Amino acid sequence: TVNIGEDKNDPQFCVTDLLPHLAKDQMEKPMRKIFTGEDLNILIGSRPFKSGETSDAVKLNILHILNEKYNIVEEDFISAELEAVPAFSAVDIGLDRSMVGAYGQDDRVCAYAALMATVDTNPPKKTCITVLIDKEEIGSDGNTGMKSEFVKNFIEDLAEKENLCARHVLAKSKCLSADVNAAFDPNYSSAYEKNNSSHINHGAVIVKYTGSAGKSDTSDASAEFMASIRKLLNDHKIIWQIGELGKVDGGGGGTIAKFIANLNLDVVDLGVPVLSMHAPFEVISKVDL
């Protein structure tokens, strides 16, 4: 296990950038081409190994440090899973401390809320399941993504032990797809339709459909299921709002709801409005969380 950064005395790393004095050609590029993946090299050391003549003395020194601390060699990088994340911790935002700023709140805030809903619930009359899904931002593929059949297989195993047909169990199941939505930002108001956007401090946001260009490539919750969710939230005095992801023709996005719907479940997205979504530093309201 490699964990560097949790301790305040740990070293940190960075990606270097080109000074503006030499960035004439870079500044003429469109935004999506300014920073290419191959240029995002992480700076992790500069001191050469203390003994011997070698052309890769700095690399050798880093490998020596890693071997001493973690007992790994260069070949281990082939199978290792290492992620570099922003070094800062979650902080209060605003003089009123009403918001939380942190990286990766899409979808850590929703995963937290979904997990705690299960942990804190009393023994339910019906089976409750929290499923934490990987790879959502890159298409939900792979055996840990929602396109995998592991959830379906799990339900089939449960149904089999009760002598039930799995497809009947799935058809009678209900799902809240916990995912964030873009909060209205007055700094970029032209990207939103104010009357159909979610706003921070207005409660959890229900998203009937996502997609792009209207309802392309999305799940669309039924009117009956939407009404049942409204009633559920109202009966328990939970503050909520409705919202969509920016202007209809302004871009769009998606969630895993459509893959859940393919299992013949009623499903709708419910989450927290986020400012600066997908930036290294995202902001949410404590009230909404």
Side-chain angles (χ1 to χ4, degrees), residues 134-168:
D134 194 16
K135 307 287 196 295
E136 186 264 340
E137 296 293 355
I138 57 172
S140 296
D141 292 300
N143 63 355
T144 56
M146 197 61 231
K147 287 182 182 177
S148 167
E149 294 203 348
F150 80 89
V151 173
K152 181 182 176 183
N153 293 343
F154 175 65
I155 301 294
E156 288 174 347
D157 289 343
L158 289 181
E160 185 179 310
K161 292 187 180 299
E162 299 291 336
N163 295 316
L164 297 170
C165 179
R167 61 188 174 88
H168 294 163

Side-chain angles (χ1 to χ4, degrees), residues 7 28 33 40-41 45-46 48 55 140 149 170 207 248 250 252 256:
D7 189 317
E28 293 176 355
K33 292 184 178 180
L40 301 178
N41 295 304
S46 66
S55 60
S140 296
E149 294 203 348
L170 287 165
V207 186
V248 169
I256 66 168

Side-chain angles (χ1 to χ4, degrees), residues 54-116:
T54 174
S55 60
D56 290 328
V58 173
K59 173 183 173 181
L60 181 60
N61 191 46
I62 294 299
L63 288 172
H64 177 68
I65 293 170
L66 291 171
N67 183 260
E68 279 194 329
K69 187 166 185 178
Y70 300 109
N71 195 32
I72 60 177
V73 296
E74 185 171 7
E75 186 180 312
D76 291 324
F77 281 90
I78 294 172
S79 56
E81 285 210 20
L82 297 170
E83 292 82 32
V85 299
F88 38 77
S89 302
V91 295
D92 288 335
I93 296 292
L95 291 172
D96 56 4
R97 297 179 178 269
S98 61
M99 295 163 285
V100 177
Y103 75 88
Q105 299 205 78
D106 172 13
D107 271 301
R108 288 193 296 167
V109 290
C110 293
Y112 165 77
L115 174 63
M116 295 312 297

